[in-house]
Every structure is written in structure tokens, then in C-alpha cells.
Amino acid sequence: MSSPATVPAARSEPERVGRYLLFESIARGGMAQVHLARLVGPVGFSRIVAIKRLHPHLALEPEFVSMFLDEARLAARIQHPNVVPILDVVSLPTELFIVLEYVAGESLAALARSETQAGQRVPPAIASAVLVGALAGLHAAHEAKSETGAPLEIVHRDVSPQNVIVGADGLPRVLDFGIAHAAERLATTRTGQVKGKPAYMSPEQISGAPVDRRTDVYSSGVMAWELFTGRRLFHAASDAQIFQLVSAGAKQSLREVLPELPAELDRVVMRAISLDPGRRFQTARDF
């Protein structure tokens, strides 16, 4: 998990939970909030970590507990420099949280927004490096296996600039497998539920069709289109309108927006966002 590189000063005494000192929340979502924290060990050992803490009222709901534990179990099976690693899981009667490596850096969304506000685009060479790193992390997730060696068939389903962290070391990392699909997942998505960020969801996600790793290839392609052009690919006033735009497919290629971009780059990105999964790159590594 990421936040600015320095530890913010807490307005009050940190909360202690087991061997962790929890400081102020640095992010909040529908299921959990993220705290900057310090692991305190013996003989003066300590380490800064990020803690994703399930909201207390959800910690009593079996469905949400299963989803949360699934996220930790799946992410723990992915060992790759381009994926934020899980360090620990803490389960108490009214508390459940995941401990992650703390990454000093910014989300790709924040970096792209800063460039846009400055009237600039992320330089293509930097955008390419970030995308290649994220795709390498996704390929590792797609290839992950269970302890018995069986393919887990993980599909992230929420690939977006918000879920790619670029560290101060320049290394991009994928995070947040909270809604990932997997063959051995304990919690299942209810029929008719659509999960993910609408502007980055694949057509098959929107229609409720089965998903596989090519869904993440598509979402990565949308992310690539936006990084290289500095524009949103699908933008509308409502989710329903975005769903219509996604289902109709991209109307502009990269070079129709920026003719100076290389034709080969245009071809690669547009292939990744094909409506038909069979026409996309079949793996994140291929992309």
C-alpha cells in the first residue's frame, strides 16, 4: 500500500492492536480503511507497514469476512516484485486486518492527474515502463498456483490506475485483489452483481459473461490508452452510459488522438482493448 514517503504525525496516540501501532487512516473504501502502522518487535525492532482494516460492522458479517480473507489468501500466493506483498493477517473477535508492505510512492492515477493538471502527459517511455511492470505483476497473479500446485486462475477484475502504485524506487506494483475471481475462492459473486470500476471493466464483465485473464488484459489496455493520450477513454455522466460506451467499443485509436505516437504502439494498445477476447493478447506477458 502507498502514501507519501514520510510517516505523518498522528494527531493522537496510536492505537495498539497486538504487535501493531495503528496511526491515522490514509485511505478508506466501502469494505475497509487503510492505516499507516508500525510493527513493533523485540529488542527494538520496528517496521513501517500498511494495514487494511475491515470496517468493524462488517467484521461480524460472514460474507465480508470470507471476501476479506480470500483477498489475503490469494495475494499471499503471488510472489513477484510488481505485486504488493501480504505480510500478515490478524483476526480478533471484532477485528480483522491484512498487513501489507508499505510502499512509499503514489498511485498511477495520482501521477497521471498531476501531469494533466500541469498541462502535460506522462512521457511515453515512462508510461511504457510502468505498464510493462504492472503487466508482469498481473501475469504472475494469473499464473499463481495453490499449495498443491493447482492453478488458482486468478483474475484481478479491478485493474485501474488507482490499483497500480509507483514507488519512489520507480517500481510499479499491482495491489488490491479484493474482488479478484479465482477457482478456489471461498466467497462468490452473487448472480447479477457487477464488480469493478465501470470505465475499466471489460465488455464481458459488464454483460455478466465468464471472465479470464484476458479481462485484465483489456483493463490494462484501457489504462494504456489513457496514459499515452492523457485523456479518458470512456467518460459519461452515469455508470449506465459508461457501460453503453464500453459495449460499443473504443471509437478512437491512439494515433487519431495523437498522430505522433508510433503506429506499432497504436496497434498493440488497440488489440488489447478489442471487444472480442479472442482478438486480444491472450496473456498479460504477451501484451
Side-chain angles (χ1 to χ4, degrees), residues 215-235:
T215 285
D216 290 343
V217 168
Y218 175 91
S219 301
S220 299
V222 175
M223 197 164 61
W225 194 99
E226 295 184 346
L227 267 185
F228 288 121
T229 65
R231 299 186 185 181
R232 294 294 301 274
L233 179 55
F234 301 115
H235 184 66

Side-chain angles (χ1 to χ4, degrees), residues 10 21 46 48 71 92 121 136 139 148 182-183 198 232 239:
L21 296 177
S46 70
I48 298 299
E71 176 182 356
L92 300 172
R121 290 182 292 113
H139 186 72
T148 63
R232 294 294 301 274
D239 289 351

Side-chain angles (χ1 to χ4, degrees), residues 170-183:
L171 192 68
R173 298 167 175 86
V174 178
L175 75 156
D176 200 348
F177 286 80
I179 65 168
H181 169 83

Side-chain angles (χ1 to χ4, degrees), residues 71-73 75-76 84-89 98-101:
E71 176 182 356
R73 187 174 60 88
V84 177
I86 299 285
L87 304 178
D88 194 9
V89 176
I98 299 171
V99 183
L100 305 105
E101 180 181 271

Side-chain angles (χ1 to χ4, degrees), residues 162-191:
Q162 290 83 1
N163 286 333
V164 175
I165 297 299
V166 181
D169 57 4
L171 192 68
R173 298 167 175 86
V174 178
L175 75 156
D176 200 348
F177 286 80
I179 65 168
H181 169 83
E184 297 184 6
R185 183 144 196 169
L186 299 174
T188 57
T189 303
R190 293 173 183 171
T191 303

Side-chain angles (χ1 to χ4, degrees), residues 30-106:
M31 277 187 61
Q33 59 182 336
V34 180
H35 293 265
L36 201 61
R38 186 184 299 276
L39 165 61
V40 181
V43 296
F45 173 81
S46 70
R47 176 180 180 177
I48 298 299
V49 295
I51 285 181
K52 186 172 183 180
R53 186 183 201 181
L54 189 64
H55 294 318
H57 66 283
L58 298 181
L60 302 176
E61 297 288 337
E63 179 182 2
F64 289 99
V65 170
S66 292
M67 288 179 62
F68 204 66
L69 292 176
D70 270 346
E71 176 182 356
R73 187 174 60 88
L74 293 175
R77 299 301 305 170
I78 308 166
Q79 304 294 324
H80 195 275
N82 295 111
V83 176
V84 177
I86 299 285
L87 304 178
D88 194 9
V89 176
V90 175
S91 179
L92 300 172
T94 58
E95 283 277 11
L96 185 61
F97 59 73
I98 299 171
V99 183
L100 305 105
E101 180 181 271
Y102 170 74
V103 180
E106 292 286 355

Side-chain angles (χ1 to χ4, degrees), residues 108 111-112 115 121-135 164 166 170 172 220-230 254 258 261 265 269 287:
L108 185 55
L111 294 175
E115 292 294 287
R121 290 182 292 113
V122 176
I126 294 176
S128 295
V130 171
L131 289 163
V132 166
L135 287 165
V164 175
V166 181
S220 299
V222 175
M223 197 164 61
W225 194 99
E226 295 184 346
L227 267 185
F228 288 121
T229 65
L254 292 181
L258 290 173
L261 290 173
L265 182 65
V269 173
F287 183 14

